[in-house]
Amino acid sequence: MDAWTNPGELSSGFGGIFAGRRVLLTGHTGFKGGWLALWLHALGAELRAVSLPPETSPSLFDLAGVADLCDSRFADINDAAALRAAVAGFAPELIVHMAAQAIVRDSYDTPVETFATNVVGTANVLEIARQSASVRGVVVVTSDKCYENNEWDWGYREVDPLGGSDPYSASKACTELVAQAYRRSYFSAPDAARLASVRAGNVIGGGDWAAHRLIPDIVRATAAGEDVTIRNPASVRPWQHVLEPLSGYLMIAARLLGDDRDAVSGAWNFGPDTESTVPVGEVCALFARLWGEGGPRFVMQSNPDAPHEAGLLRLDSTKARLHLGWRPRLGLADALALTTDWYRAQAGGADMRQITLDQIAAYAGLMQPRAVLPETDMLAG
């Protein structure tokens, strides 16, 4: 770890622009939100975070003590009054909206709740931004599944049509339309805030225990000594470690806080390289090899009666590469190595806040100019 960078030096990241800045984050009790809360705290942000209580036990929120690093408040974004009360008196300069119903299969069981959270909840958050004179920028986090999926071999670009064949995907397309409407109606005047929406692929990493997700399902079954049933082994997904898109979100956020806000208003893709867009079955095999002795045992069992999920979905991140200088730093093997290292450390009773911060610091080292990816075993610290 020392060969890369030190977690104590993270506050200088992104030009130090987050130090002392007031940031409102929604969804901090979730997987991605927990990682971002830790990174923003390390960058020196003054953070107020609003979310429902953690949905899983264990959770990254509890294991890493996220509540101790921010002004953490529980509120439902669907309840506009409760949301306003949770934010009252804070005057954020930046809002990062991550709270969502994020599971495709759950959306089939609770479609109304999915649309309420992902559409009306987003509008409630954007109303907070619209009515706050302090806000300079808003980042709305959606999903690669917001695109009308035609099972193309090539990646979707930010200008491609939105859509969705399932409640989750359709709700994310609607989230994008809500963000677009607010951007055009309220966040385009010279003195107004600016709004960006960000889209990522299938995100993996330590601290995710959500149901119906591949890596959490594998980790739970492995801990219980049970076989892991893989329902769609041939489905192709763009796999990326959680720190990859989060780095892009922070690049956007840094611009929104600076003098170049207009340049980042709009939609942005943050997807992995083509080499990391592979079938589910290949990810399973690599995960098992990295875990080693006592690792998962898989049963490949496609279910023709299962709810529809996309078979092939890729993102084109050319816009982020050209205009932000963003690019993936981790190949699939490295992303999975970080993930298996995290879960093995957690199973061994390690300090998971420190483990998580160490992985953030290691990744931040890769973001420096001319950084060279070290051997995979260095990712563990």
Side-chain angles (χ1 to χ4, degrees):
M1 176 61 66
D2 292 340
W4 288 22
T5 186
N6 186 294
E9 299 171 358
L10 279 171
S11 61
S12 63
F14 302 93
I17 197 167
F18 292 103
R21 307 303 284 268
R22 296 183 305 278
V23 180
L24 173 64
L25 171 65
T26 71
H28 68 301
T29 61
F31 162 54
K32 288 174 70 176
W35 277 89
L36 187 58
L38 288 163
W39 201 344
L40 282 167
H41 178 267
L43 290 168
E46 179 184 345
L47 189 62
R48 181 172 292 188
V50 179
S51 181
L52 292 173
E55 293 185 350
T56 65
S57 181
S59 68
L60 177 62
F61 177 79
D62 290 326
L63 287 170
V66 173
D68 298 331
L69 304 180
C70 61
D71 183 354
S72 175
R73 305 191 176 198
F74 293 152
D76 187 344
I77 61 171
N78 293 326
D79 185 335
L83 179 61
R84 286 195 302 270
V87 178
F90 184 59
E93 299 169 80
L94 173 73
I95 296 177
V96 182
H97 174 44
M98 302 187 78
Q101 196 297 91
I103 308 299
V104 175
R105 290 176 69 89
D106 285 354
S107 76
Y108 282 99
D109 297 328
T110 59
V112 174
E113 291 84 349
T114 297
F115 279 104
T117 298
N118 294 349
V119 183
V120 178
T122 296
N124 286 337
V125 173
L126 294 181
E127 277 295 286
I128 296 289
R130 183 173 75 89
Q131 297 171 14
S132 176
S134 62
V135 174
R136 290 183 55 80
V138 184
V139 180
V140 175
V141 178
T142 65
S143 168
D144 61 340
K145 295 175 181 63
C146 69
Y147 293 106
E148 181 64 40
N149 189 1
N150 298 304
E151 305 284 343
W152 289 332
D153 289 332
W154 53 89
Y156 293 90
R157 301 171 300 165
E158 290 85 351
V159 296
D160 285 325
L162 303 172
S165 299
D166 57 82
Y168 171 78
S169 301
S171 76
K172 286 300 188 180
C174 290
T175 302
E176 287 284 350
L177 291 174
V178 170
Q180 177 179 281
Y182 269 80
R183 181 167 53 245
R184 292 176 176 176
S185 299
Y186 307 114
F187 301 136
S188 58
D191 59 345
R194 293 294 182 263
L195 187 153
S197 62
V198 292
R199 307 157 181 177
N202 274 38
V203 175
I204 61 175
D208 188 5
W209 278 277
H212 308 308
R213 280 192 184 141
L214 180 64
I215 299 302
D217 286 349
I218 293 173
V219 171
R220 275 189 293 269
T222 301
E226 300 172 349
D227 291 346
V228 188
T229 299
I230 304 301
R231 61 181 183 269
N232 293 308
S235 293
V236 177
R237 297 286 185 271
W239 307 95
Q240 59 190 148
H241 191 271
V242 62
L243 292 173
E244 300 270 45
L246 292 187
S247 69
Y249 303 172
L250 288 171
M251 285 182 176
I252 294 288
R255 296 280 190 95
L256 289 171
L257 287 172
D259 297 325
D260 196 20
R261 298 185 302 149
D262 287 337
V264 293
S265 179
W268 298 83
N269 287 342
F270 296 99
D273 287 329
T274 303
E275 292 77 10
S276 295
T277 304
V278 302
V280 169
E282 185 173 330
V283 172
C284 293
L286 181 54
F287 190 96
R289 288 199 299 272
L290 289 166
W291 191 280
E293 186 177 355
R297 305 186 305 269
F298 296 105
V299 177
M300 303 297 176
Q301 190 176 64
S302 297
N303 180 4
D305 298 322
H308 172 269
E309 292 188 41
L312 176 63
L313 183 60
R314 304 177 194 268
L315 287 177
D316 184 329
S317 303
T318 301
K319 179 181 175 182
R321 290 173 182 264
L322 292 178
H323 298 287
L324 297 176
W326 178 89
R327 62 179 175 81
R329 263 73 180 185
L330 300 170
L332 179 59
D334 297 300
L336 284 169
L338 277 171
T339 303
T340 54
D341 289 346
W342 196 100
Y343 283 111
R344 282 201 303 262
Q346 185 266 331
D351 179 343
M352 296 317 297
R353 179 191 293 176
Q354 191 59 55
I355 292 292
T356 308
L357 288 172
D358 285 350
Q359 291 195 350
I360 292 172
Y363 184 84
L366 293 180
M367 295 177 67
Q368 302 305 313
R370 296 182 297 278
V372 178
L373 184 67
E375 295 299 322
T376 298
D377 59 2
M378 291 182 67
L379 293 164

